[in-house]
Amino acid sequence: QVRLVESGGGLVQPGGSLRLSCAASGSIFSIYTMGWYRQAPGNQRELVAAVTSGGSTNYADSVKGRFTISRDNAKNTVYLQMNSLEPEDTAVYYCNVDCLTSRLVRTQPWGQGTLVTVSS
């Protein structure tokens, strides 16, 4: 079983920064893509950013130039550095990974979510 634990959410003023972390643990053989999604009240969950095992990244248009995704493969951890935050970034942020367990079962677990609130 693979478990994801997120941290780093909170309340920040517009223009501020936050850094989210997500650590994967459990019976992991290999991790492919790691990503961050978000869901605002009344909205569907949407992709924010993702990074492949080779380091390729992609971002939602709304966060390009402001957010940076990175990963530490030795720690099975993915990060999301969020700068120039706007009230529209307020949402619950979820971590998601595409991985292979030690039993060679492919799975895409989700984290529990961390709330980011951008408000003055």
Side-chain angles (χ1 to χ4, degrees):
Q1 191 170 358
V2 178
R3 182 184 180 211
L4 303 179
V5 177
E6 300 147 343
S7 60
L11 173 64
V12 63
Q13 292 187 341
S17 298
L18 282 176
R19 188 190 194 209
L20 306 183
S21 300
C22 172
S25 62
S27 303
I28 299 170
F29 179 77
S30 182
I31 299 179
Y32 305 112
T33 301
M34 307 181 82
W36 288 96
Y37 292 72
R38 68 185 181 187
Q39 187 167 20
N43 290 358
Q44 291 187 337
R45 193 172 297 188
E46 62 175 0
L47 175 68
V48 177
V51 56
T52 68
S53 56
S56 298
T57 59
N58 68 289
Y59 296 91
D61 287 343
S62 59
V63 307
K64 283 180 181 177
R66 300 188 297 121
F67 291 10
T68 302
I69 190 170
S70 60
R71 62 190 282 173
D72 184 334
N73 292 326
K75 297 181 178 180
N76 287 341
T77 299
V78 61
Y79 306 97
L80 186 67
Q81 178 66 44
M82 305 185 293
N83 299 329
S84 302
L85 282 160
E86 303 168 353
E88 293 73 25
D89 296 316
T90 296
V92 177
Y93 284 70
Y94 297 90
C95 175
N96 175 260
V97 302
D98 180 14
C99 62
L100 200 63
T101 69
S102 57
R103 293 187 176 186
L104 303 184
V105 174
R106 192 132 181 195
T107 183
Q108 295 84 31
W110 290 89
Q112 80 283 0
T114 185
L115 177 63
V116 172
T117 303
V118 184
S119 175
S120 55

